[in-house]
Amino acid sequence: MSENDRFYITTPIYYVNDVPHIGHAYTTVAADILARYWRLRGREVFFLTGLDEHGQKVQQAAAKAGIDPQTHCDKLAPQFENLWKKLNIANDAFIRTTDTQHKQVVQQYLQELFDKQLIYKADYSGWYCTFDERFWTEKDVADGLCPDCKRSVEKLSEHNYFFKMGQYQDRLIDHIKTHDRFIRPESRRNEVLGFLQTQKLSDLSISRPKSRLSWGIELPFDTNYVTYVWFDALVNYVSALEYLPREKSAGHDFWPANVHLVGKDILTTHAVYWSTMLMALNLPLPETIFAHGWWTVDGEKMSKSRGNVVDPNKMVETYGVDAFRYFLLREVPFGQDGDFSQAAMVTSINSDLANGIGNLLSRTLTMIERFADGKIPASGPPALPELEEKIAQAATQLPTTLEQGFSTLTFRDNLQAIGELVSLCDEYIDKAAPWKLAKNPEDALKLKTVLNHSARALRLLAVSLYPFMPQTMEQLTRQLGYHVDFSKALPASAYQWDSPVAELTIAKGAPLFPRIEGLSGTVRIKGELETKLIKGAKPVSDTPITPQPVPVITATTPPATSASAETPAAAPPPPASPQITIDEFMKVQLRTAKILSAERVPKSEKLIKLQVSLGTEQRQIVAGIGKKYEPDVLVGKTIVIVANLKPAKLMGIESQGMVLAAGDTDVRGLLTTHEEVDPGTKVK
Ligand code: MSP
């Protein structure tokens, strides 16, 4: 196996104690996309993820639960394993730091460093944060609080073992400077370099006395100590290769890793601790450590105490696995921070997926059924030479763009390039108007060209999108009659625009992505707030080709799963109303508001723009109440609004809240108060 033929990618190993959230899902989905892409391109891929199971927090949680730590870990591990199945993660191995073989490798490395006198024992005194399991210096904790988690720290003095990390400072600086791809993105590389060039790198305490922490890997040279959890955890990237690859003998060939994907908060441990550990062990350094950004949720930091932790399981159940995977990588350039909101996800699903690739497939297959007896015809003479040339250029360029994007981890650029090809094809069908060509026998050959070009583009789009949305792209290729085995490397022809598709017999099935509908500007309270539909669908087509009716689902109803997607979609059952806790309800701030003015939004029969007073402030709200009310009758009314909803744009107009109204799809009555109360009064 030559170096370029293999691809070793890792995610961080997640703390077993954590409840899996969108941050965990983000890294793992990104790694899966890379792994799937390089497998298709013929590289031998090893994709590793797993769990970090030692440390004080696990020990404490197990004690609280009255069970031994290993039982505690065994109980918790499946919540990650099950999530990965649900997210369609095709990892090659799953490591747990409590695996016997992993523990042996950690001990072997510790012994090796100890024998080389790269580990020594010394007194240590500092401020210890139990939550973060680390020491801080005097200047870090000026206010008696941990600078990281803001919890109180305690003064501890103890003997510990230290790894001579400091002596590798210059070598590490040199490595970063001479290896452009080592720390990515560029801004993070500069941060690490800046820190290394201005501060003295100290040695690293790699032990914890058993008197304080017993749940860890025992030091091979002193049974009174266990290993510091980071030294244990980082070794997983190498120890896994000893016992987890299918062919164990091939394991070592995967080192050094091509990509360690990590979040920005754990870049230092990877770039500095891990790199110097590898130097000390005489092992080569990974090719790239890529630090991605963090998700906030509706503009706020995600945290248990805020109760806004996004559960990926719920997202998959509500929106479907592929829509969620797509959104994570499409919304934010990889490497930057991003904000998660369900409203943004609905917009992206409707515009890019339901109206984009989903609709392109639907209209293309409808035309092939109608005008070519369900068989993709061979191309004839040009129908619209200029657009055909543009499509050919974009399609020919796409594989190179993809390879570049997957090499630099610019996932979003790839999705953008794919989206541009979808738009070009839509424009092509609109302008070529096959339904008109079909009426004129002289245009019969041109009609074939249009059908052929559209089908060919879809074939290439399916191959390009497969790593992002594997399940749906398998459906797409099945519907197109294109039999491709995505579990193996694809032949080069799969990425070539010229590859023929003529003669394939299509098998039109259910739409790939159901559109998600919600009420605009109003909200129905039925257990959960309903997701607003912000951006309207672009008209599917103003042509006689009626695309297959797209089932409309509400954001609280799971779309058809892949298993059922090939069968005609039955009307989804009415969604059950999940119960919410009082705490969840209290997060919604309801207030009274007095309507100061009201006017219709041009070109909308439903939307009315309101200026309302909340006593101390004035707001603009766009509400979908125009079918029920004339603007004039609204002025002066005191209504109830959701006051803490993130502002959103409806038909390009900012709405800073949501009006409450009774009714289901149709508004039947606005909520007002029985007695006149001051605007801005809290509603409970
Ligand atoms: N166990 C260590 C990693 C050891 S790797 C040898 C750890 N685990 S963790 O479970 O706390 O975090 C795992 C990852 O989740 C980190 O990469 C972190 O950046 C990521 N995220 C945690 N919250 C996040 C967001 N809100 N957004 C994106 N990623 C986030 O650290």
Side-chain angles (χ1 to χ4, degrees):
M1 220 174 9
S2 97
E3 232 175 74
N4 287 334
D5 291 342
R6 27 163 235 258
F7 183 70
Y8 178 24
I9 178 150
T10 67
T11 72
I13 47 172
Y14 306 110
Y15 289 128
V16 69
N17 239 6
D18 271 3
V19 177
H21 57 60
I22 186 179
H24 305 117
Y26 187 43
T27 330
T28 315
V29 166
D32 186 61
I33 291 169
L34 288 174
R36 284 179 187 270
Y37 174 76
W38 288 115
R39 277 188 205 115
L40 291 185
R41 301 311 310 268
R43 287 173 85 173
E44 181 141 1
V45 171
F46 189 62
F47 166 19
L48 176 71
T49 186
L51 294 174
D52 192 349
E53 303 194 346
H54 289 124
Q56 200 136 358
K57 271 173 259 172
V58 174
Q59 181 174 307
Q60 282 166 348
K64 206 169 157 196
I67 49 179
D68 71 279
Q70 187 63 62
T71 310
H72 178 69
C73 293
D74 293 346
K75 271 184 143 175
L76 292 177
Q79 59 175 349
F80 281 92
E81 288 167 295
N82 293 339
L83 175 62
W84 302 150
K85 279 188 202 127
K86 213 166 185 165
L87 280 169
N88 209 357
I89 302 297
N91 51 307
D92 296 289
F94 191 82
I95 190 169
R96 296 179 56 185
T97 52
T98 50
D99 291 345
T100 310
Q101 298 95 323
H102 167 77
K103 291 192 263 186
Q104 283 166 354
V105 176
V106 172
Q107 288 186 325
Q108 181 194 315
Y109 284 169
L110 285 165
Q111 189 66 53
E112 185 180 330
L113 298 186
F114 187 72
D115 293 345
K116 285 182 180 167
Q117 295 178 358
L118 290 170
I119 287 178
Y120 63 94
K121 194 173 185 185
D123 274 343
Y124 189 79
S125 153
W127 293 99
Y128 188 73
C129 170
T130 313
F131 184 81
D132 285 332
E133 297 178 38
R134 61 163 292 181
F135 280 99
W136 296 100
T137 61
E138 193 74 41
K139 70 174 178 356
D140 293 327
V141 294
D143 50 4
L145 298 177
C146 165
D148 186 36
C149 70
K150 308 290 177 217
R151 290 173 171 83
S152 7
V153 287
E154 54 181 322
K155 186 93 183 178
L156 279 185
S157 262
E158 58 191 28
H159 289 305
N160 259 317
Y161 286 89
F162 288 81
F163 160 52
K164 290 185 181 170
M165 184 164 76
Q167 73 181 46
Y168 296 97
Q169 182 158 10
D170 290 341
R171 209 173 130 188
L172 183 55
I173 292 173
D174 188 55
H175 187 87
I176 297 173
K177 282 187 172 166
T178 51
H179 295 77
D180 271 0
R181 293 165 59 91
F182 180 51
I183 299 176
R184 300 271 84 197
E186 184 74 15
S187 55
R188 300 281 170 212
R189 170 185 183 267
N190 295 341
E191 261 173 43
V192 176
L193 211 45
F195 149 77
L196 285 170
Q197 284 173 327
T198 51
Q199 290 178 41
K200 190 173 161 5
L201 188 62
S202 46
D203 291 345
L204 180 69
S205 159
I206 51 93
S207 66
R208 297 289 179 263
K210 272 193 188 167
S211 52
R212 189 151 61 75
L213 169 72
S214 58
W215 184 236
I217 302 175
E218 195 172 86
L219 292 189
F221 41 82
D222 191 337
T223 54
N224 292 316
Y225 290 85
V226 295
T227 312
Y228 170 46
V229 71
W230 270 101
F231 190 100
D232 160 2
L234 288 161
V235 169
N236 94 87
Y237 299 132
V238 174
S239 70
L241 300 179
E242 297 266 343
Y243 65 100
L244 290 174
R246 257 190 311 265
E247 278 177 60
K248 301 205 172 46
S249 55
H252 290 279
D253 292 345
F254 283 104
W255 193 258
N258 298 82
V259 182
H260 285 323
L261 275 190
V262 299
K264 62 179 183 180
D265 56 318
I266 55 171
L267 176 60
T268 310
T269 46
H270 283 77
V272 181
Y273 296 6
W274 182 223
S275 302
T276 52
M277 281 162 68
L278 287 166
M279 285 174 180
L281 291 162
N282 284 328
L283 287 169
L285 267 51
E287 188 184 331
T288 297
I289 302 172
F290 192 104
H292 65 67
W294 268 41
W295 289 94
T296 50
V297 177
D298 292 319
E300 293 202 319
K301 192 170 178 225
M302 189 169 67
S303 72
K304 265 192 226 154
S305 54
R306 281 196 178 89
N308 62 352
V309 175
V310 178
D311 176 1
N313 289 290
K314 282 213 182 111
M315 293 303 112
V316 172
E317 283 153 21
T318 308
Y319 300 102
V321 56
D322 282 347
F324 181 56
R325 288 172 62 113
Y326 174 87
F327 177 76
L328 289 179
L329 278 303
R330 176 69 183 89
E331 184 69 358
V332 185
F334 204 59
Q336 292 181 23
D337 292 338
D339 188 48
F340 181 86
S341 79
Q342 295 201 46
M345 186 145 90
V346 170
T347 304
S348 162
I349 294 172
N350 284 341
S351 61
D352 297 2
L353 302 180
N355 295 339
I357 181 84
N359 186 43
L360 180 64
L361 177 73
S362 175
R363 64 197 307 213
T364 301
L365 297 190
T366 303
M367 293 189 301
I368 294 171
E369 260 177 358
R370 192 182 285 185
F371 305 131
D373 290 332
K375 231 182 206 180
I376 303 172
S379 197
L384 284 178
E386 246 176 60
L387 262 179
E388 278 152 14
E389 181 51 34
K390 265 194 182 173
I391 291 177
Q393 263 177 18
T396 311
Q397 177 57 35
L398 188 57
T400 317
T401 308
L402 293 178
E403 181 154 353
Q404 167 76 8
F406 284 123
S407 304
T408 52
L409 279 66
T410 44
F411 298 94
R412 195 167 182 255
D413 292 351
N414 281 357
L415 289 172
Q416 233 151 7
I418 291 170
E420 277 159 24
L421 182 56
V422 173
S423 301
L424 269 179
C425 292
D426 267 336
E427 185 188 343
Y428 177 59
I429 296 175
D430 288 345
K431 292 201 172 139
W435 48 94
K436 286 189 192 149
L437 298 177
K439 285 189 187 141
N440 186 355
E442 278 174 23
D443 288 332
L445 289 177
K446 284 189 181 169
L447 174 61
K448 290 186 176 179
T449 305
V450 180
L451 302 187
N452 182 279
H453 273 61
S454 308
R456 248 195 302 158
L458 276 162
R459 186 195 57 77
L460 184 66
L461 286 165
V463 170
S464 308
L465 278 170
Y466 172 82
F468 294 94
M469 301 190 284
Q471 236 171 45
T472 319
M473 291 309 118
E474 276 179 0
Q475 285 171 34
L476 194 164
T477 50
R478 271 201 300 274
Q479 294 199 25
L480 205 58
Y482 172 54
H483 297 289
V484 55
D485 183 355
F486 283 117
S487 70
K488 297 203 179 99
L490 294 178
S493 60
Y495 287 93
Q496 279 160 9
W497 168 240
D498 292 346
S499 300
V501 288
E503 295 298 311
L504 297 180
T505 304
I506 62 156
K508 192 160 185 251
L512 299 182
F513 298 97
R515 265 183 62 76
I516 298 172
E517 292 286 357
L519 286 179
S520 298
T522 58
V523 62
R524 288 176 291 171
I525 296 191
K526 52 174 190 182
E528 246 182 80
L529 292 187
E530 201 160 51
T531 305
K532 287 195 314 168
L533 173 62
I534 292 175
K535 194 167 159 188
K538 89 179 140 64
V540 164
S541 137
D542 47 3
T543 73
I545 304 297
T546 329
Q548 168 138 353
V550 176
V552 169
I553 59 166
T554 66
T556 47
T557 312
T561 61
S562 67
S564 63
E566 289 298 325
T567 50
S577 295
Q579 293 188 325
I580 57 167
T581 62
I582 185 75
D583 288 345
E584 284 172 302
F585 179 72
M586 293 309 278
K587 275 188 261 156
V588 182
Q589 281 177 20
L590 301 176
R591 292 193 188 272
T592 58
K594 188 165 188 140
I595 301 180
L596 304 174
S597 69
E599 61 180 278
R600 285 197 175 276
V601 170
K603 295 197 193 129
S604 167
E605 52 164 349
K606 208 165 157 193
L607 297 183
I608 292 190
K609 186 168 80 176
L610 305 170
Q611 302 299 332
V612 300
S613 163
L614 271 78
T616 49
E617 61 167 305
Q618 194 176 319
R619 293 209 192 169
Q620 172 171 292
I621 298 183
V622 181
I625 52 177
K627 280 194 182 166
K628 171 81 181 163
Y629 297 106
E630 284 306 323
D632 286 351
V633 304
L634 297 169
V635 178
K637 290 252 176 333
T638 299
I639 55 168
V640 181
I641 67 159
V642 180
N644 61 337
L645 195 70
K646 198 178 165 203
K649 284 199 170 162
L650 296 161
M651 290 188 73
I653 304 172
E654 172 147 319
S655 182
Q656 303 152 328
M658 203 177 249
V659 168
L660 292 193
D664 200 355
T665 29
D666 290 325
V667 172
R668 307 210 9 223
L670 273 178
L671 260 65
T672 56
T673 56
H674 195 263
E675 265 80 36
E676 200 49 46
V677 294
D678 289 337
T681 306
K682 220 170 166 178
V683 178
K684 292 204 273 189

